[in-house]
Amino acid sequence: GTVFVVQWDKVYLQGKEEMGSFTFQAALHSSGRIVFGYKEIPVPVLQISATQHPVKAGLSDAFMVLNPSPEVPESRRRTIYEYHRVELDTSKITSMSAVEFTPLPS
């Protein structure tokens, strides 16, 4: 009742399965804390090709709008509007590491 945890187990990069699998989680605490835990990171994140697998690590507040696509009437086009972003230094993401975000009093 005080924390919600989502874990991704044995995630492979498409076309790069030989690199190994990634296991990580996000924990949302009722106090407002957010913790990202990295259990298995088989290669340095900086070595992941940004063109094939764009890596984003951090938090942002944003909203999404779904608009009909003029080319395909039954589909929707997703637009994300972002306000703020806090990015993690991806060189610090390693196996058995964690990052904690603690909310400011407001």
Side-chain angles (χ1 to χ4, degrees):
T2 62
V3 64
F4 175 75
V5 179
V6 177
Q7 180 163 312
W8 291 264
D9 283 314
K10 297 184 179 13
V11 176
Y12 292 89
L13 296 177
Q14 185 176 4
K16 299 288 183 181
E17 291 80 3
E18 73 281 355
M19 288 182 146
S21 68
F22 295 75
T23 297
F24 52 95
Q25 62 181 218
L28 310 175
H29 295 262
S30 61
S31 64
R33 287 181 339 147
I34 299 171
V35 180
F36 294 121
Y38 302 98
K39 183 177 180 186
E40 295 173 14
I41 306 297
V43 296
V45 176
L46 294 173
Q47 289 182 11
I48 299 171
S49 168
T51 55
Q52 291 179 315
H53 304 285
V55 175
K56 301 222 184 250
L59 296 173
S60 66
D61 55 346
F63 68 94
M64 182 175 66
V65 176
L66 294 173
N67 294 312
S69 173
E71 297 85 29
V72 184
E74 63 273 1
S75 72
R76 293 186 184 181
R77 191 166 149 177
R78 180 176 74 171
T79 305
I80 298 175
Y81 297 94
E82 187 176 63
Y83 295 107
H84 305 96
R85 180 186 313 177
V86 177
E87 293 185 39
L88 297 177
D89 178 352
T90 55
S91 70
K92 305 249 192 261
I93 297 173
T94 60
S95 294
M96 303 306 290
S97 67
V99 175
E100 178 182 19
F101 290 93
T102 304
L104 297 172
S106 59

